[in-house]
Amino acid sequence: MHAGALSGLQRISSARDSDPEQTPSTAGVATAAPAPAAPIPNGSSHATALTGLERIARTRATRTEQPPPAEPARTPAPTPLQAGQRYMPGLDGLRALAVFAVVAYHLGLGWAPAGLLGVGVFFTLSGYLITDLLLAQWDGAGRLALGNFWVRRARRLLPALFVMLAVVVVWVALLHRSELGSLWGAVGAAVLYVSNWFDVFQHFSYFARFGPPSPLGHLWSLAIEEQFYLVWPWLLWLGLRYVRERRSAISGHARLAGVTLSAAGISALAMALLYQPGVDPTRVYDGTDTRAFALLFGAALAMVWPSRRLTTRVGQVARRLLDGIGVAGLVIIGLLIWLTTQYSPFLYRGGIVLLSIATMMTISALVHPATRLGNALGREPLRWLGVRSYAIYLWQFPVITLTTPTTESGVNPLRAVVQVGAIVALAALSWTFVEKPIRQGGLGRLWARVSSGEWRRTGMPRRPMLGDRRGGGGRGRWWLPVAVAVAVPALVGITLVSTGLGSSGGGTGAVGPTHGAPRPIPPPPATTAPAPPPTIPVTTSSCRAVAHIGDSTSEGLTSASYLPDPSQRIDAQYARVGVTSFDSEISGARSVIERYKNEPNAEDVAHRLTAQGYHGCWVLALGTNEAADVAVGSSVGLSDRVDRMMADVGNAPVLWVNVKSLLGTGPYAENNMADWDNALVKACAKYPNMRIFDWASVVSDSWFISDGIHFTTPGYATRSRMIADALATAFPSTGGESPSCVVR
C-alpha cells in the first residue's frame, strides 16, 4: 500500500550543478589511483556527495585487484550533476525491485503478499543516503549546510507531488465525485507531509476498508521520510558535536553508530509492544516513532560504511564476501515478501527489523565499487526504472485504486498490465517534464526570463525552459508520444469500465486488518430498485422481547435514510411477528471480542443487559468483523467467539444471522465469511437453543452497495423482513423450536 517507497538517492540530489551538498570539501582525505567505475547516467538521482575514486581510498587491503569493469550502458550515459561523483547504479536497481514489490502488493498479486515491505527497503536506503551525504559535509567542511539541504529536498520532492495531487483531484472530481469531499483532508495532510498522523488520528486505515480506499492512502510513508529529513539533521548535528569518537582511517563514526542503533532498538521495541494481533495496526505501521528504526539502521550503516571511503582495492576473497552478503540480503528480502503477509504478527515483532538488516546487507554490497552485484543490479531496465521510482510510487496507488472495481475478485491480468503500463508512462512523463528539469534549475531560468521581460521580446523558446533533450539517458524524445498514447487511453478506458461496469465507487477492496477505519453505515445510493414484495409468515414468534446485537450491516435496518417507510424498519417487522419489546444494540464495527474506539463489544452489551435483568430472545447479527479479525491474526478463534456469546446469553433462544461478502481479497473476503458461517453451523449442534438464519443463501448480489459489504435500500428492506420471519420460524408461537438448525 505501502506502500512510501521513495527514491532515496533521487530525493537527496540537488537542482543545480553548484550544490554544496553534493561536493563537500575533501581536505584531509587520502587519495588513491582511480579505478574503473560504472557509467554515470544523465540526470541520475544519485547525489551522495562522492568525489571520485581518486579521493575516497580509506579502506585497507593487503592486496590489490581490479574488478571487471561494468558493462557499458545500452543507452547513452547522461552526464552527472557534479563532476567527480561516483554513480552507484546498483542502488537504482534495488529501488526498482522495491517499488515494484509495492506495486505487486497493491495489485493483489499472489507472489507478493507482503510486497508492502518494499517501503521498508526504501526507508533504510533513505536513512543511509541522507546520513552519508550529511556526514560527507561534516567530514569535509566541519559543518552541515542545513538550509540548502532542506531547500533542495523541497525542490526535489514537492513539484512531482503537487502535480500528482492536482491530477488526482481533477480525476476524482470528474469520475468519482462522491469521493471528492473526503479527499480534501488527505490532500492537505499530503501537502504538509503529515499523512501518517492524519490517518492515525482520523482513524483511517491503510489496511481496513469496506469501500474504495483513498487514492492518497500511500502518502503516509512520504510523510515519515519528510519528518525524518526535518528532524534527523538536528539530531545528527548534536551527535557529531557531543559524541566523541576515536577517529582512525577505518573507524568512521562508530560510537555515534552505536547510539543510533540504540535509538533504533527503542523504536523497534515500541512497534512490538504496541502491536496487538487482530487489532488494526495502523498506529504501529504508520507511526513515525514505530517506523524510525528502519531509517536509523540505514543511518548507522552510513556512519561505519561511508560510500566516499570505499575503494576497489580489495582482494578476491573480500569481494566475494561482499557479494555474498549482498545476495543473502536480497534473498531474505525476497523470502519475507513471498512468505509473510501484511497480517503476520511476525512482521511487527521482529520481521520488519529483519527486513532492515537484510537491506543493510544489500546496500553494503551495492555501494561498494568492487562488487559484481552492484553491476548486475545496475543494468537496464532496472536502472531506468529505479531513477523514476519516486514517480512510480507517487502514481501507482492512485492509478490502481481509481481503476479497479471495489468488488473485484482476484486479479484481472489485462487490467493489471494496462495499469502497470500507465504507471510507468506517467512516471516517465513526470521525470522528464517535472522532476529532472526542476532539479537542473529550470524554474530559476524560467523565472529569470519572465522577471527580465525577455519572453516578451523573443517569445517563448522552441525548447521548453523546463525541458532538457538530454533527459534520462534516451535517444531523443521518441518515447513521449508512446507514453501519452499508453497513459491517457489506458486510464480513461479502465476508469470508465471500473465505474460503469464494476462498481459505482471504484477502488480496491478491503486489504488488511480490521477496526481501524470508521465504519458507520454508508449513505444510501441515489437510486434504488424496488424491494421484493413482503411475505406474511405462517406464524408469529414465541419471542415477546428481542435484543438485537449487530454491527454496521444492521445499521440500515433502523435508518430513516435507508428505510424512510417506518413499516420496513426492523422494530416494525419484529412487532409484525409478535414482538412487544425491542432492544436495539447496533453499532458500527462491533465485534464479539475487539472494541472499536472504546465502544462496548458484543460481550459487553450482553453482560450489561443480563445484569439489568433482561429475559428474552437474542438476535445476533454479527460475524463480518469476526471473520476479518480472525483472518488478520486475532488470538480468539471463530468457534471460541460463538461459544463465548452463547455462554453470555445462557439458555435463552438465540438466532444468529450469518454473513456474506462480495469481496475477493482481504480480511473481508467471502472465503473468510464462509469460514464464519461454517463455524456457526458446527456450534449449532452443541446448543439446542441456537438457530441460524441463512442470509448468505438468499441475499442477492444486486442488494449490495459498491463496498461489497453493506446493502441498498431494497437490500435492507428485505433483510429486515427476512430476519423477523426467520425469528418466527425458528421460535414459533406454537411452541418449541424449528427442527433444523438453519432457517431459510
Side-chain angles (χ1 to χ4, degrees):
M1 28 92 108
H2 309 117
L6 284 182
S7 174
L9 287 174
Q10 293 177 7
R11 302 168 61 184
I12 61 171
S13 50
S14 74
R16 299 183 182 276
D17 293 352
S18 59
D19 187 350
E21 293 178 17
Q22 295 191 51
T23 318
S25 169
T26 54
V29 179
T31 60
I40 304 177
N42 183 26
S44 163
S45 58
H46 295 76
T48 51
L50 301 178
T51 55
L53 294 178
E54 71 278 6
R55 304 164 69 182
I56 58 173
R58 277 285 186 97
T59 55
R60 297 178 177 178
T62 56
R63 65 192 182 100
T64 303
E65 182 174 341
Q66 297 291 348
E71 292 187 8
R74 295 183 180 180
T75 55
T79 57
L81 288 179
Q82 174 63 41
Q85 287 181 259
R86 180 171 71 85
Y87 170 55
M88 296 175 286
L91 295 182
D92 274 332
L94 179 62
R95 282 200 295 272
L97 295 176
V99 76
F100 273 96
V102 176
V103 173
Y105 166 72
H106 287 144
L107 287 172
L109 302 183
W111 56 265
L116 75 171
L117 295 180
V119 173
V121 172
F122 278 102
F123 280 167
T124 303
L125 179 57
S126 292
Y128 176 86
L129 293 167
I130 288 296
T131 306
D132 191 49
L133 173 67
L134 294 173
L135 288 178
Q137 291 182 4
W138 181 269
D139 292 342
R143 59 186 292 270
L144 300 179
L146 297 185
N148 287 335
F149 172 82
W150 287 318
V151 167
R152 284 165 173 76
R153 298 299 72 72
R155 185 179 291 153
R156 174 66 187 94
L157 299 176
L158 292 178
L161 174 67
F162 288 167
V163 169
M164 184 274 291
L165 291 176
V167 172
V168 167
V169 168
V170 173
W171 189 346
V172 170
L174 293 177
L175 298 174
H176 301 266
R177 192 166 186 83
S178 63
E179 301 173 30
L180 186 60
S182 62
L183 189 67
W184 292 116
V187 171
V191 170
L192 297 175
Y193 281 101
V194 293
S195 295
N196 61 326
W197 293 113
F198 176 80
D199 290 348
V200 169
F201 291 123
Q202 294 294 319
H203 301 282
F204 296 154
S205 175
Y206 178 62
F207 300 100
R209 303 178 182 96
F210 282 144
S214 167
L216 306 180
H218 63 313
L219 299 183
W220 66 271
S221 61
L222 305 191
I224 289 177
E225 292 214 26
E226 188 65 20
Q227 292 158 26
F228 176 78
Y229 295 158
L230 291 174
V231 176
W232 175 242
W234 289 112
L235 297 177
L236 181 63
W237 178 79
L238 290 173
L240 291 169
R241 290 205 58 176
Y242 297 108
V243 176
R244 300 300 179 184
E245 301 281 357
R246 291 184 301 175
R247 302 300 302 275
S248 68
I250 61 174
S251 66
H253 300 272
R255 289 182 176 175
L256 185 56
V259 174
T260 303
L261 287 176
S262 297
I266 295 173
S267 172
L269 181 62
M271 169 177 277
L273 293 177
L274 290 176
Y275 172 73
Q276 300 179 49
V279 176
D280 180 71
T282 296
R283 167 62 184 87
V284 176
Y285 192 77
D286 287 9
T288 308
D289 52 345
T290 51
R291 296 307 299 268
F293 66 84
L295 292 145
L296 294 176
F297 273 124
L301 178 63
M303 295 171 185
V304 297
W305 195 252
S307 63
R308 64 194 176 281
R309 295 181 181 174
L310 304 177
T311 176
T312 56
R313 291 188 169 188
V314 297
Q316 182 71 13
V317 173
R319 180 164 63 242
R320 288 177 177 173
L321 178 62
L322 283 171
D323 280 326
I325 291 173
V327 170
L330 281 177
V331 169
I332 294 172
I333 293 170
L335 289 175
L336 288 171
I337 290 173
W338 180 35
L339 298 178
T340 63
T341 73
Q342 68 268 46
Y343 317 127
S344 300
F346 164 71
L347 289 183
Y348 304 95
R349 293 172 173 171
I352 301 181
V353 172
L354 177 60
L355 174 79
S356 302
I357 294 173
T359 305
M360 291 171 63
M361 295 166 60
T362 305
I363 293 172
S364 67
L366 296 181
V367 300
H368 202 289
T371 63
R372 292 184 175 90
L373 183 62
N375 291 333
L377 287 187
R379 298 168 184 253
E380 303 286 6
L382 289 179
R383 187 184 72 179
W384 189 92
L385 293 169
V387 168
R388 293 152 182 83
S389 59
Y390 174 52
I392 291 173
Y393 184 78
L394 282 177
W395 286 102
Q396 50 89 28
F397 201 60
V399 169
I400 293 171
T401 58
L402 293 173
T403 60
T404 304
T406 304
T407 56
E408 173 112 327
S409 179
V411 179
N412 183 313
L414 178 59
R415 180 185 290 116
V417 170
V418 174
Q419 287 171 330
V420 171
I423 291 165
V424 173
L426 288 168
L429 294 170
S430 174
W431 170 254
T432 301
F433 292 106
V434 180
E435 300 167 67
K436 184 174 179 288
I438 291 176
R439 289 175 64 242
Q440 295 179 335
L443 282 180
R445 293 193 298 271
L446 179 61
W447 176 251
R449 287 178 60 88
V450 172
S451 59
S452 66
E454 181 182 353
W455 66 276
R456 294 191 183 93
R457 297 188 299 271
T458 62
M460 296 305 291
R462 293 181 180 178
R463 193 177 83 182
M465 291 301 297
L466 296 183
D468 187 343
R469 293 187 183 273
R470 299 170 298 170
R475 296 183 178 92
R477 293 289 179 80
W478 60 268
W479 57 268
L480 292 180
V482 176
V484 174
V486 169
V488 175
L491 294 177
V492 171
I494 58 180
T495 299
L496 292 177
V497 168
S498 67
T499 56
L501 302 179
S503 71
S504 62
T508 61
V511 290
T514 60
H515 294 301
R519 277 168 251 164
I521 184 171
T527 60
T528 58
T535 59
I536 304 300
V538 296
T539 184
T540 56
S541 174
S542 61
C543 298
R544 293 296 175 258
V546 168
H548 183 119
I549 303 178
D551 54 26
S552 60
T553 61
S554 288
E555 287 185 321
L557 301 176
T558 60
S559 168
S561 297
Y562 268 87
L563 300 176
D565 182 354
S567 67
Q568 293 182 318
R569 297 173 202 162
I570 192 65
D571 55 342
Q573 291 298 311
Y574 281 140
R576 179 175 59 82
V577 298
V579 174
T580 58
S581 174
F582 169 57
D583 195 336
S584 176
E585 298 289 347
I586 297 171
S587 178
R590 174 156 287 158
S591 168
V592 173
I593 304 298
E594 289 76 20
R595 296 177 179 85
Y596 175 64
K597 289 187 177 180
N598 296 319
E599 290 291 321
N601 63 19
E603 277 199 305
D604 297 334
V605 172
H607 291 161
R608 172 173 55 80
L609 291 177
T610 53
Q612 293 172 351
Y614 173 76
H615 297 286
C617 299
W618 302 79
V619 174
L620 304 179
L622 303 166
T624 301
N625 294 316
E626 316 309 322
D629 291 335
V630 172
V632 303
S634 173
S635 59
V636 182
L638 299 175
S639 297
D640 290 340
R641 291 166 183 263
V642 179
D643 292 339
R644 288 173 67 158
M645 281 304 296
M646 293 304 296
D648 292 334
V649 302
N651 296 322
V654 180
L655 178 69
W656 287 86
V657 181
N658 69 10
V659 296
K660 183 178 179 179
S661 162
L662 296 185
L663 300 179
T665 59
Y668 295 99
E670 170 54 23
N671 62 307
N672 295 329
M673 303 298 127
D675 289 342
W676 169 256
D677 294 346
N678 291 333
L680 287 177
V681 173
K682 291 178 181 178
C684 194
K686 299 189 299 183
Y687 301 104
N689 60 322
M690 174 177 169
R691 294 293 182 268
I692 304 166
F693 168 44
D694 192 7
W695 168 250
S697 70
V698 298
V699 61
S700 169
D701 289 356
S702 64
W703 295 344
F704 286 91
I705 63 173
S706 63
D707 66 10
I709 298 289
H710 301 97
F711 309 106
T712 62
T713 290
Y716 275 115
T718 308
R719 180 175 171 87
S720 176
R721 173 176 54 80
M722 286 187 168
I723 289 176
D725 289 351
L727 183 70
T729 303
F731 308 108
S733 58
T734 55
E737 297 89 13
S738 65
S740 173
C741 269
V742 179
V743 178
R744 293 183 174 88

